[in-house]
Amino acid sequence: MDLIVAEYLLETPFPVEEVAAMMAGEQSSGTFVRVAGETDELRARAAAQVLSVEVLGQVDSPSLTSAYVERKGKAGPFTRARVRIAFPPGNIGRNLPTLAATVSGNLYDIGEITGLKLLSVELPADYRARYPMPAQGIAGTRATLGVTDRPLFGTIIKPNVGMTSEDIAALVDRLCAAGVDFIKDDEVCANPDVAPLATRVPAVMAVLRKWQDKGRNVMMAFNITDETDAMRRHADLVAAEGGTCVMASLNWCGLSGMETLRAATPLAIHGHRNGFGAMSRHPLLGMGFPAYQSLYRLAGVDHMHVHGIGGKFVDHADEVTEAARACLAPLTDGADDRVMPAFSSGQWAGTMPSAYEAAQGPDFMFMCGGGILAHPDGPAQGIASLREAWEALSAGEDLEQAAQSRPALAAAFRFFGAR
């Protein structure tokens, strides 16, 4: 039988094999002692299996406190190990929140554990097929925009909040004139009093339709983050106005909310991961991006944020690279479910080579807020600097040398390069 396999980084002062077995039992058929009804036949059918335990080393102090460990007087050493556990899909069915509860859930609270991070989740092909594929994905997003051979150049509405619907529509008009492919709301601008979606969507879509009539397609990701029924209504409004994309804050809408949104709309869903750092930043707590993106991709999103290399956030380059490549790999062999990684946070023309290398090709969104809007010669030259950077990269040129003959790129290096 094909199994769902989860890999963890575990820390414990107890024997790691025993704790791994405890994890498998806790999240499948058992508990800390054998109970009535837990027959051998039931265990054979429903018990999770420990596939491997790889000891990595020991430390003197625990990463996390545990009253249970203190009560038992276990002072260390604390062993760290990679543990792989396989779960029968029949325990879960097609139930995304329960899948998440199975591979995570109470594991974080087991007393013997002083550190636990879910690193990855591997899915059997027939189990992955129970869930929706991206409605648009990479190919559909490119087809909507008519861009086939380069990254998608995008930006974010700034100021984040405070502008009226008319202000935002005027900025979108300016950005369309500059040549942008993709525009998104900020994660904190969803349905504010000063620019509610009821007025913002029609105002912005009137601008986008005007540019469409001129032969330019621009995708706008309206932030419809809200309670689930409201998100469906917001998505319907966007679709009725001719929009092509909505955005939602994944962590605050949750897996169920995103599944319901996917079922309700054919629009591209731009998945924003704000708050992910609370799950990921501690090395021995939470969830790594490979596991995280597996779960949210089962909800059917089309784009996912991966932060940026050399940007303003905490990520190391290898973390951003891992995230981008995870998005660009199918969840299972033969699945047509790749999603477009969106690089953002402090990005400008000079950081594009790192994004290109991380994505191993042009299939990525390159999101520049200040990198476009704060270009010293204006947003049009901000977009021009990105196009010049891509032209140079495609030709195998060094970007700084290429800037000597490309004025928008040169201005970007002068302005952003010293920051």
Side-chain angles (χ1 to χ4, degrees):
M1 178 175 60
D2 289 333
L3 300 170
I4 296 164
V5 179
E7 183 173 36
Y8 306 89
L9 180 59
L10 168 68
E11 179 186 282
T12 179
F14 295 88
V16 289
E17 291 82 2
E18 293 180 13
V19 175
M22 187 182 306
M23 291 166 61
E26 178 73 25
Q27 298 304 97
S28 60
S29 65
T31 182
F32 69 100
V33 293
R34 190 155 181 162
V35 297
E38 191 183 353
T39 64
D40 291 340
E41 184 278 329
L42 185 147
R43 281 194 169 196
R45 170 168 41 85
Q49 305 170 26
V50 178
L51 300 182
S52 64
V53 175
E54 177 191 357
V55 174
L56 302 175
Q58 293 182 326
V59 294
D60 294 330
S61 302
S63 295
L64 304 170
T65 61
S66 166
Y68 181 91
V69 169
E70 294 169 1
R71 195 163 65 244
K72 294 294 183 179
K74 297 291 287 187
F78 297 85
T79 302
R80 292 178 179 174
R82 280 183 178 264
V83 175
R84 287 169 57 82
I85 299 176
F87 300 92
N91 291 0
I92 302 163
R94 187 204 180 283
N95 189 323
L96 187 49
T98 301
L99 171 62
T102 298
V103 298
S104 299
N106 277 338
L107 290 177
Y108 295 113
D109 301 298
I110 291 176
E112 286 85 352
I113 291 175
T114 58
L116 188 75
K117 192 160 193 172
L118 175 63
L119 301 177
S120 65
V121 178
E122 301 167 20
L123 304 165
D126 59 349
Y127 187 76
R128 195 271 170 266
R130 298 189 189 192
Y131 294 88
M133 298 292 175
Q136 302 297 327
I138 295 172
T141 300
R142 285 194 175 282
T144 296
L145 294 172
V147 177
T148 60
D149 57 354
R150 60 167 174 79
L152 305 181
F153 299 138
T155 193
I156 306 97
I157 297 293
K158 301 287 184 182
N160 307 35
V161 292
M163 291 195 293
T164 66
S165 297
E166 293 73 22
D167 293 334
I168 292 169
L171 177 57
V172 168
D173 194 27
R174 189 180 178 200
L175 291 168
C176 290
V180 75
D181 300 313
F182 183 91
I183 307 168
K184 63 174 280 295
D185 285 326
D186 196 78
E187 69 272 13
V188 297
C189 183
N191 202 23
D193 292 343
V194 71
L197 286 162
T199 62
R200 188 167 92 244
V201 172
V204 169
M205 285 310 305
V207 171
L208 295 186
R209 288 193 299 269
K210 178 189 76 172
W211 282 96
Q212 189 174 28
D213 290 342
K214 295 180 180 182
R216 288 216 63 240
N217 292 323
V218 177
M219 180 176 280
M220 174 74 194
F222 292 97
N223 183 0
I224 65 168
T225 300
D226 209 324
E227 58 90 13
T228 305
D229 287 339
M231 285 202 296
R232 291 192 291 190
R233 294 194 298 271
H234 300 329
D236 288 344
L237 172 61
V238 173
E241 289 286 340
T244 56
C245 185
V246 292
M247 182 183 109
S249 294
L250 301 175
N251 297 314
W252 316 123
C253 296
L255 292 164
S256 296
M258 298 310 300
E259 276 195 290
T260 302
L261 178 60
R262 172 75 292 156
T265 183
L267 302 177
I269 296 177
H270 190 78
H272 200 298
R273 75 181 206 183
N274 61 88
F276 174 65
M279 303 182 192
S280 66
R281 288 187 66 179
H282 195 289
L284 265 298
L285 180 64
M287 188 179 297
F289 189 80
Y292 175 87
Q293 60 92 34
S294 293
L295 295 173
Y296 274 101
R297 282 170 65 183
L298 289 183
V301 300
D302 300 277
H303 317 145
M304 288 196 75
H305 276 235
V306 298
H307 284 173
I309 296 173
K312 63 184 182 181
F313 289 149
V314 300
D315 311 71
H316 292 290
D318 57 349
E319 294 175 296
V320 179
T321 298
E322 178 185 51
R325 292 181 184 178
C327 291
L328 289 165
L331 288 178
T332 60
D333 290 341
D336 185 16
D337 64 354
R338 299 188 313 142
V339 296
M340 182 78 85
F343 290 81
S344 65
S345 97
Q347 300 301 285
W348 61 284
T351 65
M352 193 184 297
S354 297
Y356 181 37
E357 181 179 358
Q360 298 178 301
D363 282 338
F364 62 94
M365 288 181 168
F366 195 63
M367 306 292 298
C368 302
I372 292 173
L373 293 166
H375 189 282
D377 298 322
Q381 290 303 294
I383 291 291
S385 73
L386 301 184
R387 293 182 183 275
E388 290 175 356
W390 178 250
E391 180 184 74
L393 287 174
S394 300
E397 299 178 43
D398 175 80
L399 220 54
E400 292 195 54
Q401 291 182 351
Q404 296 175 15
S405 60
R406 293 173 172 86
L409 185 57
F413 267 100
R414 287 194 298 271
F415 185 76
F416 297 110
R419 292 175 181 266

